[in-house]
Amino acid sequence: MNSHGRAKVLMVQGTSSHSGKSVIAAALCRIFAQDGYQVAPFKAQNMSLNSFATPDGGEIGRSQAVQAAAALVAPRVEMNPVLLKPEGDRRSQVVLMGRPRAVASAREYHELKPRIWTQITSALDQLRAEFDVVVMEGAGSPAEVNLKDHDIVNMRVALHANAPVLLVGDIDRGGIFAQLVGTMVLLEPEERALVCGHVINKFRGDPSLLTSGLEFLHERTGVPVAGVVPFFNDIHIPEEDSVGLASDAETEGADAIDVAVMRLPHIANFDDFDPLRHEAGVRVRYVGRASGFGDPDLVVIPGSKTTVADLVWLRAQGLDGRITDARHRGTPVIGICAGYQILGNELMDPDGVESSASQTRGLGLLPTMTVFRRDKATHQVRGQVVRDAGLLGSCRGAEVVAYEIHMGETSGADSASPFVLQSRSQNEVDLPDGALDSEGLTLGTYLHGLFHNRAVRRSILACAGARRGLSVVSTEDDIDPSAEYDKLAALVRRHLDLDLVYRSMGLTR
């Protein structure tokens, strides 16, 4: 129990999606933690295919896991009680308190909201009972007038908690004054009263050129500008949305190890590849069409919420043939989660979990078969590399720390499994994972976060570069996520009026 009995709250809302709410919220989580408070993040409802497994096996949005790391606390399901994972046909899987509960259309989901709201408020109240500060995040915009009657994530949450709100706008997109003024105009009077400050995010240039605009904002809305946060690209925080992914046109650096990641329509957990992007001498491209495939040194098929639909898409784009041809020419291929399932011979769906197709032919690069099940596996895991061929040729015995989120069971590769899991959701186990072909050049695994393990990543890159005589550039250390949160907090401290923030929360610095 915290010393205050009920946590102080602050909410970060935005004028649009991708305005930077998640990053500002993460910065505030680290700032409050640095200032001596026990902090928890909270987002009532997250719509994202980027998810994460909590230590006890629940599933939440990746952005809340990132914010929990920034706050120096373990992620838990109360931090994101509702996660929507879009599927095809305008439907989403509804993950409630860490577990999948339904697959619903937008209309069906609206009908569920009265019951869901009770669990949202209960989760928030639980966090407020245990922590000193709760930093809440909204979703999209609070001024979507066609959605406000069904709101359970923006101003309704702020009103429930009587939370001061920072309203974040993205100046990099243009129209910042219209964004902020227009949002304020469309809010109800009691909602406008909660907005304590505007934040102009992703600013490039001379702040003095904004002076007249900031004065206009204050005069027009009655709300001060709490900060002008500059655009940055030297602080490494995981992206929440696939909007931030690089395109397949970014091909500079001919002497770099070229990693082609298939940009599946329902790509999930794409921060799996952040460690590759941060390696010197490595270029990561997201490929969405056959003409952009090129001649990569490593091909990766990532995770997906809808494996079968994305496999059909791969074929429609002609990327299936490009992948198999590349592998037959000696290019290594890796499949993560759904990508692992796609690499196999067959995908079976007797219960219609993934699609209406009961059987789908895979790419046939691994001798495996996947059967989709209704139960979802969500685990944090620890394990070990137990093969030493090809991609894993220099890392046998290395520890692997990762997580699983999948609804399929894959068989046919036990004798060739490259990994053994020793801990799963904090329980001791002895389970094989994945498959590695006889040459060691086709690897499939359910382990998200595989590339975050330095020894494994370096072994994979060394193998990928060998065909063109490229070697991995020697560096001493990986990026330290905690140090990145400290850098982010320092940047936001310099550019955000924290006195205003603390005062609005009724909190003492």
Side-chain angles (χ1 to χ4, degrees):
M1 177 67 70
N2 64 54
S3 60
H4 306 291
R6 191 167 177 82
K8 301 293 187 181
V9 289
L10 175 69
M11 192 163 198
V12 180
Q13 296 190 29
T15 58
S16 66
S17 296
H18 209 62
S19 62
K21 298 183 297 292
S22 296
V23 172
I24 296 294
L28 288 163
C29 283
R30 178 52 62 97
I31 286 169
F32 288 126
Q34 290 172 336
D35 289 354
Y37 293 99
Q38 291 182 306
V39 191
F42 177 81
K43 185 168 184 174
Q45 172 194 288
N46 205 337
M47 178 175 279
S48 177
L49 293 176
N50 233 17
S51 62
F52 190 74
T54 63
D56 61 354
E59 185 179 12
I60 64 173
R62 187 73 173 92
S63 58
Q64 277 60 65
V66 166
Q67 291 161 5
L72 302 172
V73 296
R76 45 192 279 189
V77 297
E78 289 86 356
M79 295 172 179
N80 179 209
V82 183
L83 173 62
L84 302 179
K85 305 191 76 174
E87 298 182 353
D89 301 322
R90 301 180 183 178
R91 299 171 71 82
S92 294
Q93 183 184 71
V94 181
V95 179
L96 185 60
M97 296 303 290
R99 301 295 176 194
R101 301 298 185 191
V103 175
S105 67
R107 187 174 299 279
E108 291 166 341
Y109 179 59
H110 288 327
E111 293 172 357
L112 295 173
K113 281 184 175 180
R115 282 180 289 165
I116 288 174
W117 176 248
T118 301
Q119 295 195 263
I120 287 171
T121 56
S122 176
L124 176 56
D125 292 345
Q126 181 66 35
L127 293 177
R128 293 191 70 184
E130 296 182 34
F131 291 86
D132 300 322
V133 172
V134 176
V135 177
M136 306 188 299
E137 181 190 346
S141 163
E144 303 289 356
V145 293
N146 59 314
L147 301 177
K148 287 191 71 170
D149 288 346
H150 302 287
D151 174 37
I152 58 171
V153 65
N154 285 310
M155 280 298 178
R156 189 177 181 189
V157 176
L159 288 165
H160 170 79
N162 193 30
V165 174
L166 289 175
L167 184 61
V168 180
D170 177 3
I171 195 171
D172 200 42
R173 291 185 172 189
I176 187 67
F177 303 110
Q179 291 178 43
L180 293 167
V181 173
T183 299
M184 292 292 287
V185 167
L186 293 173
L187 295 178
E188 299 298 327
E190 65 272 20
E191 297 169 342
R192 283 197 295 272
L194 292 176
V195 180
C196 65
H198 299 303
V199 178
I200 295 177
N201 198 25
K202 307 181 190 179
F203 179 71
R204 308 174 193 245
D206 182 355
S208 66
L209 299 177
L210 276 178
T211 301
S212 61
L214 305 187
E215 293 171 351
F216 165 82
L217 270 179
H218 195 176
E219 292 170 3
R220 184 63 183 262
T221 67
V223 174
V225 175
V228 178
V229 179
F231 182 92
F232 63 83
N233 55 20
D234 58 344
I235 303 174
H236 303 294
I237 305 296
E239 291 278 0
E240 180 184 17
D241 302 311
S242 58
V243 173
L245 296 184
S247 73
D248 54 7
E250 296 184 28
T251 57
E252 64 278 357
D255 57 347
I257 297 173
D258 182 21
V259 180
V261 179
M262 300 302 99
R263 189 167 186 162
L264 305 178
H266 302 94
I267 187 171
N269 299 80
F270 45 79
D271 59 324
D272 279 346
F273 312 112
D274 285 354
L276 296 175
R277 291 172 46 234
H278 299 154
E279 285 275 11
V282 175
R283 177 178 68 246
V284 176
R285 297 183 292 121
Y286 288 88
V287 177
R289 56 188 186 274
S291 61
F293 189 84
D295 183 21
D297 301 306
L298 174 65
V299 177
V300 183
I301 307 176
S304 165
K305 179 65 188 71
T306 55
T307 307
V308 173
D310 283 359
L311 173 53
V312 170
W313 175 87
L314 275 176
R315 289 198 164 107
Q317 303 304 312
L319 285 167
D320 60 328
R322 293 298 183 100
I323 294 167
T324 54
D325 288 349
R327 175 62 193 86
H328 293 147
R329 293 195 308 269
T331 302
V333 176
I334 297 176
I336 306 290
C337 198
Y340 173 28
Q341 297 168 344
I342 286 170
L343 288 176
N345 289 324
E346 299 287 345
L347 294 85
M348 312 295 291
D349 195 356
D351 299 324
V353 173
E354 269 271 338
S355 73
S356 59
S358 61
Q359 183 174 357
T360 304
R361 177 174 53 87
L363 298 188
L365 293 177
L366 287 173
T368 56
M369 180 181 74
T370 296
V371 179
F372 292 107
R373 306 294 188 192
R374 294 193 182 279
D375 294 334
K376 180 181 285 192
T378 54
H379 305 283
Q380 288 190 9
V381 301
R382 287 182 178 271
Q384 190 176 52
V385 179
V386 292
R387 295 284 303 281
D388 58 3
L391 289 161
L392 304 178
S394 63
C395 64
R396 182 168 183 157
E399 183 184 47
V400 177
V401 179
Y403 63 99
E404 299 175 69
I405 299 176
H406 58 92
M407 297 187 75
E409 295 177 1
T410 300
S411 60
D414 287 358
S415 62
S417 293
F419 308 108
V420 169
L421 306 185
Q422 298 160 327
S423 173
R424 207 179 191 208
S425 290
Q426 303 174 322
N427 297 313
E428 289 188 11
V429 295
D430 183 11
L431 297 171
D433 172 83
L436 187 69
D437 70 1
S438 58
E439 294 180 80
L441 296 181
T442 307
L443 169 65
T445 177
Y446 276 119
L447 301 183
H448 289 294
L450 181 72
F451 296 113
H452 287 74
N453 296 272
R454 179 183 174 88
V456 176
R457 182 179 73 251
R458 286 297 176 106
S459 178
I460 288 170
L461 289 175
C463 177
R467 190 165 61 105
R468 288 200 293 134
L470 301 174
S471 58
V472 184
V473 177
S474 177
T475 56
E476 292 184 3
D477 298 304
D478 288 351
I479 288 174
D480 176 5
S482 191
E484 298 302 301
Y485 297 131
D486 285 340
K487 288 163 61 178
L488 177 64
L491 176 77
V492 173
R493 278 186 188 276
R494 290 195 299 271
H495 297 282
L496 189 65
D497 185 348
L498 288 175
D499 287 334
L500 182 154
V501 171
Y502 271 75
R503 189 166 60 250
S504 299
M505 297 172 66
L507 199 61
T508 302
R509 290 194 72 176

